[in-house]
Amino acid sequence: MKLIDRLYKDAPLATRNEITPKLGFLLTILLAFAWLIPFLWMGVATLRPASDGINLMAELMPSLKPTLDNVRDAWEIGDFPRYLLNTTIICTGILLVQFVTITLAGFAFARLDFAGKTLIFYLFLMQLMLVPVLLIVPNLSLVAQLGLYDTLAGVMMPFFASAFGTFLMRQAFEAIPTELEDAALIDGASLIQRIRHIYVPLSLPSFSAFAIISVTSHWNDFLWPLMVINSPDKRPLTVGLSVFTKTAEGTQDWGTIAAGTLMVIAPLLITFLIFQKRFISSFVTSGIK
Amino acid sequence: MSLAEPAALSVAASAPPRLHLARRFIARFKASLPAYLLLLPSLVFLALFTYGAMGRVLIDALYQRATPKAPLRFVGLDNIRAVLADPAFTGAVINNLIYAVGTAIPSIGLALLFALALARTNAVTSALRAALFLPVLIPMVAASALFLFIFLPNVGLLDHYIGRLLPVLPNWLGDPDIALYAIMIITVWKNAGYYMLFFLAGLQAVPEDVMEAAHLDGAGPFMRLRYIILPELKPTFLFVIVIATLNAVTQVDHVFVLTQGGPSNSTNLVLFYIYQQAVEHFDVGKASAATLLTLAALMGLTALSFRTMADREGGA
């Protein structure tokens, strides 16, 4: 994809090492280190034995006798495998439905001419401006009316359509030469067959960029699932972690909080470290729209 | 299609003008039908959860219940008046303004610094970019869990390493004068790496020959930044400012985990106020009125920024 190349290409020759070259770079190194401190503390505190006491809890030097007790405690107190399962179901469910809706709508905008195209296009644009997070109050009452309160389906439903995804797919489909579709048309392929066998396979990079953005944002979503979910066994990771933190905070069990936090963020961080380039270019794409 | 068309045309030709128009309309609709069917799944969900939600906010804001179980009563603009007269709401708006400006400026400034310093691509800068980007990926709830300990009075990370140098150890999250700023630190930490990406992408648009010419003409780093790079980054700035403002209004998970809006409402933000009204006080009317006001403000701001952006592009 072009964006990956753009981001990983050097800036123009004379832009490199701009303002106060060495000093700016040095400051950035220092800040990057400061940026990592919370993660560093999390790792160190997770492995620190409780016998070190509260006064050593803030030490960033790792303990000499590391232990996995905190991980075991966190695993026992919080129902993390269940939370992980719920979050996985939510993210996968949203993504699968989104793939269908954005493919169909993206194709309509990219390749079909129809009455009211501009108007409908603006209706989609409106979703980008309306900031879904702010519509939680009416959406909660709708979810309740649909009988979906306290269900994972209720958490997923508001995100089944995505204007951003539709625009992303429209752009990807527009870049595909029409000759390919014409050939399939002569062979008698139906509309759905053409989408399925020509447009989708040729747009996989856009699908993967969208998948990264969608999964990351719903993996981290908190307020909406907090409002929809009531039963403890339906909590996603974020809601589970907040309840877990509240409980452990009372007992001053910082090692356990660190271990629980680590469990919640590890899956996404590991995926990021493997697919770094992909992640970063997807995030730039999501901003440029 | 090829069979239906000649028949339709022949009828249309002999029919009076009005009918002719209707026929053409039907034909156009028929031709558009496949597109409508493809758009239908998306439109159903958008209608329910975006336009429908917008409409319900408008209507809900006009109604009120005397008690949670009493019937709904039309009250006109009373909810809006009640919200505007509520010191908790006006306080939340002021907090949110401080929060928005106080997080946007440092995180955008840092993002620009990071992008300029890391514009060259090699193993070291890639690692540094990744380090700065990590907080973007973790849930705000997890960030809050980590900062809970960082801000802990006396024994927390901050007091352990820096607090000792201060004359008095501050109670970071417990002091109404400090708590909002403590929460802002988390936001800057979490977002600077995100905005850095847009500046990195924006820097690619700076024309190399202009930079070289300026360099040969003896323009120093500061001159080049001021007269070439910053003007080139203007659209990026505008875009990042819009994103930062939206984030300031929509990211409140740390308020839930760390302070619950307290102490004494010092960290109450608008979205948390909306949540409190709806979920804790069961006051949907007031929550909807507050949502409406916030949406209006945000949409006005976005429209304004789009216009500014369009004007600039039109002029260039």
Side-chain angles (χ1 to χ4, degrees), chain A residues 11-219:
Chain A
L13 203 65
T15 342
R16 299 179 198 166
N17 298 343
E18 211 30 72
I19 39 165
T20 53
K22 297 257 157 50
L23 203 69
F25 190 61
L26 203 71
L27 189 63
T28 302
I29 292 179
L30 283 175
L31 286 167
F33 179 73
W35 248 238
L36 287 177
I37 287 178
F39 293 103
L40 188 67
W41 174 76
M42 178 182 65
V44 172
T46 299
L47 298 174
R48 185 181 295 283
S51 58
D52 272 11
I54 186 89
N55 286 324
L56 278 181
M57 218 49 233
E59 274 300 332
L60 287 172
M61 281 301 289
S63 165
L64 290 175
K65 30 185 188 2
T67 167
L68 286 174
D69 285 357
N70 292 320
V71 179
R72 194 199 60 217
D73 288 351
W75 188 266
E76 279 168 6
I77 301 170
D79 196 354
F80 286 103
R82 164 72 66 179
Y83 304 152
L84 181 65
L85 179 70
N86 291 337
T87 295
T88 311
I89 293 173
I90 291 170
C91 291
T92 324
I94 292 176
L95 189 63
L96 290 180
V97 180
Q98 280 177 336
F99 273 163
V100 176
T101 56
I102 66 173
T103 304
L104 301 182
F107 181 82
F109 282 127
R111 280 293 138 89
L112 299 179
D113 179 42
F114 52 92
K117 190 170 179 175
T118 319
L119 177 78
I120 299 177
F121 191 77
Y122 278 114
L123 278 180
F124 273 74
L125 255 184
M126 217 167 96
Q127 196 215 12
L128 294 179
M129 281 173 78
L130 270 177
V131 209
V133 190
L134 281 173
L135 295 170
I136 44 175
V137 177
N139 282 341
L140 183 67
S141 65
L142 177 65
V143 161
Q145 278 166 10
L146 294 172
L148 293 173
Y149 178 73
D150 200 25
T151 65
L152 295 184
V155 178
M156 295 183 229
M157 235 186 160
F159 309 103
F160 279 168
S162 162
F164 162 62
T166 303
F167 295 147
L168 196 67
M169 292 330 292
R170 167 179 163 263
Q171 227 172 340
F173 292 159
E174 274 176 347
I176 292 168
T178 38
E179 286 83 0
L180 286 171
E181 195 184 356
D182 293 341
L185 205 57
I186 292 167
D187 289 345
S190 72
L191 188 70
I192 297 297
Q193 279 173 328
R194 277 174 276 148
I195 296 176
R196 163 101 178 64
H197 295 290
I198 298 172
Y199 286 93
V200 172
L202 289 173
S203 310
L204 290 183
S206 294
F207 278 109
S208 91
F210 179 73
I212 287 174
I213 294 300
S214 170
V215 169
T216 311
S217 71
H218 298 300
W219 191 280

Side-chain angles (χ1 to χ4, degrees), chain B residues 239-264:
Chain B
F239 172 75
V240 172
I241 289 170
V242 173
I243 298 277
T245 314
L246 287 179
N247 278 343
V249 182
T250 55
Q251 285 185 334
V252 294
D253 303 355
H254 45 347
V255 175
F256 280 82
V257 178
L258 294 175
T259 61
Q260 291 284 315
S264 46

